[in-house]
Amino acid sequence: MGNGRTAAVERRRMTVEELAVWRSLVDTTAELRRRLSVQLAEESGLSSADYQVLLTLSEAEGKRSRSSRLAAEMEWERSRLSHHLGRMEKRGLIRREDCATDNRGAEVVLTDEGAAAFRRATAPHTKAIKKYFADALTPEQFDALADVMQTLRKHLAA
């Protein structure tokens, strides 16, 4: 049986202050994503979706991944990923190949052009993350935020 505090937290309504913090989190992360996306497109010509695909492939073994696995890792619908991959393939950033071990699937492969585009985008993107995110926080705030994120991940995993 849980402790009394947990039961009380589950029964009570959110306070105005809690809702305000939630709204601030949603609005602030949306603004961060917007600014980072604009910077990424201006600096590299890549969309944030392009960058996410390239990042995931760059970390994959052999710089390739089955499209179904890629969709799962990125938490995208497979149809959304398929359409996006088509656009990226036309630009030479990735290519799709039949899966050598399974005729039903396709593998997405990071091309040399895609790897080069990812490398060119990474330094300016990291600089923008520093400018819009890291520079705004003190070391103590980073520690507190890390603690909050870990607590939320544990709560969501339960």
Side-chain angles (χ1 to χ4, degrees), residues 64 66 97-107:
R64 60 178 51 232
R66 288 187 55 125
E97 298 177 350
D98 290 334
C99 183
T101 59
D102 180 0
N103 290 336
R104 296 174 295 148
E107 285 190 316

mmCIF file of all heavy atoms in Angstrom, residues 64 66 97-107:
data_model
loop_
_atom_site.group_PDB
_atom_site.id
_atom_site.type_symbol
_atom_site.label_atom_id
_atom_site.label_comp_id
_atom_site.label_asym_id
_atom_site.label_seq_id
_atom_site.Cartn_x
_atom_site.Cartn_y
_atom_site.Cartn_z
ATOM 1 N N ARG A 64 23.531 2.621 -40.647
ATOM 2 C CA ARG A 64 22.332 2.145 -41.322
ATOM 3 C C ARG A 64 21.369 1.588 -40.299
ATOM 4 O O ARG A 64 21.771 1.166 -39.218
ATOM 5 C CB ARG A 64 22.658 1.103 -42.376
ATOM 6 C CG ARG A 64 23.351 -0.139 -41.833
ATOM 7 C CD ARG A 64 23.638 -1.214 -42.907
ATOM 8 N NE ARG A 64 24.313 -0.693 -44.065
ATOM 9 C CZ ARG A 64 23.891 -0.874 -45.330
ATOM 10 N NH1 ARG A 64 22.831 -1.593 -45.582
ATOM 11 N NH2 ARG A 64 24.546 -0.351 -46.335
ATOM 12 N N ARG A 66 17.189 -0.335 -40.124
ATOM 13 C CA ARG A 66 15.910 -0.683 -40.747
ATOM 14 C C ARG A 66 14.968 0.491 -40.533
ATOM 15 O O ARG A 66 14.995 1.133 -39.487
ATOM 16 C CB ARG A 66 15.346 -1.942 -40.126
ATOM 17 C CG ARG A 66 16.131 -3.184 -40.544
ATOM 18 C CD ARG A 66 15.446 -4.415 -40.058
ATOM 19 N NE ARG A 66 14.065 -4.433 -40.520
ATOM 20 C CZ ARG A 66 13.518 -5.418 -41.204
ATOM 21 N NH1 ARG A 66 14.224 -6.479 -41.490
ATOM 22 N NH2 ARG A 66 12.262 -5.368 -41.572
ATOM 23 N N GLU A 97 17.825 0.904 -49.105
ATOM 24 C CA GLU A 97 18.250 -0.339 -49.752
ATOM 25 C C GLU A 97 17.388 -1.470 -49.223
ATOM 26 O O GLU A 97 16.912 -1.429 -48.091
ATOM 27 C CB GLU A 97 19.715 -0.647 -49.420
ATOM 28 C CG GLU A 97 20.698 0.394 -49.893
ATOM 29 C CD GLU A 97 22.131 0.072 -49.469
ATOM 30 O OE1 GLU A 97 22.348 -0.855 -48.650
ATOM 31 O OE2 GLU A 97 23.040 0.767 -49.963
ATOM 32 N N ASP A 98 17.228 -2.485 -50.055
ATOM 33 C CA ASP A 98 16.541 -3.677 -49.573
ATOM 34 C C ASP A 98 17.366 -4.278 -48.453
ATOM 35 O O ASP A 98 18.597 -4.275 -48.493
ATOM 36 C CB ASP A 98 16.382 -4.703 -50.700
ATOM 37 C CG ASP A 98 15.383 -4.247 -51.758
ATOM 38 O OD1 ASP A 98 14.492 -3.443 -51.427
ATOM 39 O OD2 ASP A 98 15.502 -4.699 -52.908
ATOM 40 N N CYS A 99 16.682 -4.801 -47.444
ATOM 41 C CA CYS A 99 17.352 -5.417 -46.308
ATOM 42 C C CYS A 99 17.959 -6.746 -46.750
ATOM 43 O O CYS A 99 17.262 -7.597 -47.326
ATOM 44 C CB CYS A 99 16.362 -5.624 -45.170
ATOM 45 S SG CYS A 99 17.106 -6.290 -43.681
ATOM 46 N N ALA A 100 19.226 -6.947 -46.501
ATOM 47 C CA ALA A 100 19.931 -8.158 -46.928
ATOM 48 C C ALA A 100 19.426 -9.401 -46.204
ATOM 49 O O ALA A 100 19.482 -10.502 -46.749
ATOM 50 C CB ALA A 100 21.431 -7.988 -46.699
ATOM 51 N N THR A 101 18.918 -9.230 -44.988
ATOM 52 C CA THR A 101 18.501 -10.389 -44.194
ATOM 53 C C THR A 101 16.993 -10.618 -44.207
ATOM 54 O O THR A 101 16.532 -11.630 -43.705
ATOM 55 C CB THR A 101 18.959 -10.229 -42.728
ATOM 56 O OG1 THR A 101 18.378 -9.029 -42.194
ATOM 57 C CG2 THR A 101 20.470 -10.168 -42.636
ATOM 58 N N ASP A 102 16.230 -9.676 -44.776
ATOM 59 C CA ASP A 102 14.777 -9.791 -44.743
ATOM 60 C C ASP A 102 14.205 -9.064 -45.956
ATOM 61 O O ASP A 102 14.254 -7.848 -46.030
ATOM 62 C CB ASP A 102 14.249 -9.194 -43.439
ATOM 63 C CG ASP A 102 12.743 -9.277 -43.305
ATOM 64 O OD1 ASP A 102 12.075 -9.795 -44.217
ATOM 65 O OD2 ASP A 102 12.230 -8.820 -42.277
ATOM 66 N N ASN A 103 13.634 -9.807 -46.888
ATOM 67 C CA ASN A 103 13.111 -9.207 -48.121
ATOM 68 C C ASN A 103 11.931 -8.269 -47.877
ATOM 69 O O ASN A 103 11.579 -7.486 -48.747
ATOM 70 C CB ASN A 103 12.696 -10.295 -49.111
ATOM 71 C CG ASN A 103 13.893 -11.019 -49.679
ATOM 72 O OD1 ASN A 103 14.994 -10.472 -49.694
ATOM 73 N ND2 ASN A 103 13.697 -12.250 -50.128
ATOM 74 N N ARG A 104 11.306 -8.344 -46.698
ATOM 75 C CA ARG A 104 10.146 -7.509 -46.422
ATOM 76 C C ARG A 104 10.534 -6.104 -45.998
ATOM 77 O O ARG A 104 9.721 -5.191 -46.067
ATOM 78 C CB ARG A 104 9.278 -8.123 -45.309
ATOM 79 C CG ARG A 104 8.673 -9.450 -45.685
ATOM 80 C CD ARG A 104 7.971 -10.056 -44.500
ATOM 81 N NE ARG A 104 8.967 -10.359 -43.463
ATOM 82 C CZ ARG A 104 8.742 -10.327 -42.164
ATOM 83 N NH1 ARG A 104 7.562 -10.013 -41.706
ATOM 84 N NH2 ARG A 104 9.699 -10.619 -41.307
ATOM 85 N N GLY A 105 11.737 -5.909 -45.546
ATOM 86 C CA GLY A 105 12.114 -4.616 -44.977
ATOM 87 C C GLY A 105 13.093 -3.853 -45.827
ATOM 88 O O GLY A 105 13.669 -4.371 -46.782
ATOM 89 N N ALA A 106 13.272 -2.607 -45.468
ATOM 90 C CA ALA A 106 14.255 -1.749 -46.131
ATOM 91 C C ALA A 106 15.173 -1.176 -45.059
ATOM 92 O O ALA A 106 14.777 -1.002 -43.913
ATOM 93 C CB ALA A 106 13.561 -0.617 -46.875
ATOM 94 N N GLU A 107 16.398 -0.930 -45.467
ATOM 95 C CA GLU A 107 17.346 -0.270 -44.580
ATOM 96 C C GLU A 107 17.575 1.145 -45.079
ATOM 97 O O GLU A 107 17.617 1.393 -46.277
ATOM 98 C CB GLU A 107 18.678 -1.020 -44.540
ATOM 99 C CG GLU A 107 18.633 -2.294 -43.740
ATOM 100 C CD GLU A 107 20.012 -2.879 -43.529
ATOM 101 O OE1 GLU A 107 20.809 -2.922 -44.484
ATOM 102 O OE2 GLU A 107 20.290 -3.285 -42.394
#
